[in-house]
C-alpha cells in the first residue's frame, strides 16, 4: 500500500498530493504502532478523505479502508 501511495504522490496535483502525504504518514504511524507494542493506538483521519473524495471503486482506497478496520481489530485485541 505504501508503494502505491508513493506512486500516486508522483503523479498527483498539489491538493491530492497533500491528502496522499497525510494518508502515507498515518499508515506509516499505524504500522509502527503495530510493530512497537508500547506505542499508543493511532486515530486515523484518512478514511474521511477517502469516503468523501475518492471514487468508491478505487482499489487502493478500498484496501486502505480495510487496513484501518484490521488495524482497529488488532489494537483492540492488544488491550
Amino acid at each position: 500500500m505504501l508503494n502505491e501511495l508513493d506512486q500516486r504522490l508522483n503523479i498527483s496535483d498539489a491538493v491530492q498530493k497533500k491528502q496522499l502525504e497525510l494518508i502515507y504518514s498515518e499508515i506509516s504511524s499505524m504500522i509502527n504502532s503495530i510493530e512497537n507494542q508500547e506505542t499508543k493506538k493511532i486515530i486515523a483521519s484518512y478514511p474521511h478523505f477517502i469516503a468523501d473524495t475518492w471514487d468508491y471503486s478505487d482499489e487502493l482506497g478500498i484496501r486502505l479502508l480495510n487496513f484501518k478496520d484490521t488495524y482497529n481489530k488488532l489494537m483492540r485485541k492488544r488491550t
Side-chain angles (χ1 to χ4, degrees), residues 12-68:
S12 298
D13 62 26
V15 174
Q16 191 177 30
K17 189 172 266 195
K18 288 262 187 217
Q19 264 189 8
L20 292 171
E21 287 170 347
L22 175 70
I23 293 170
Y24 189 96
S25 173
E26 287 185 353
I27 294 291
S28 294
S29 295
M30 291 165 80
I31 290 169
N32 287 335
S33 74
I34 292 169
E35 295 172 346
N36 182 357
Q37 296 277 332
E38 298 186 16
T39 305
K40 292 185 179 183
K41 180 181 174 185
I42 305 298
I43 307 296
S45 63
Y46 76 83
H48 298 291
F49 294 132
I50 293 172
D52 291 346
T53 61
W54 290 33
D55 187 88
Y56 291 112
S57 63
D58 187 296
E59 241 182 85
L60 178 59
I62 293 167
R63 289 196 349 255
L64 288 166
L65 293 174
N66 288 337
F67 174 76
K68 183 201 170 265

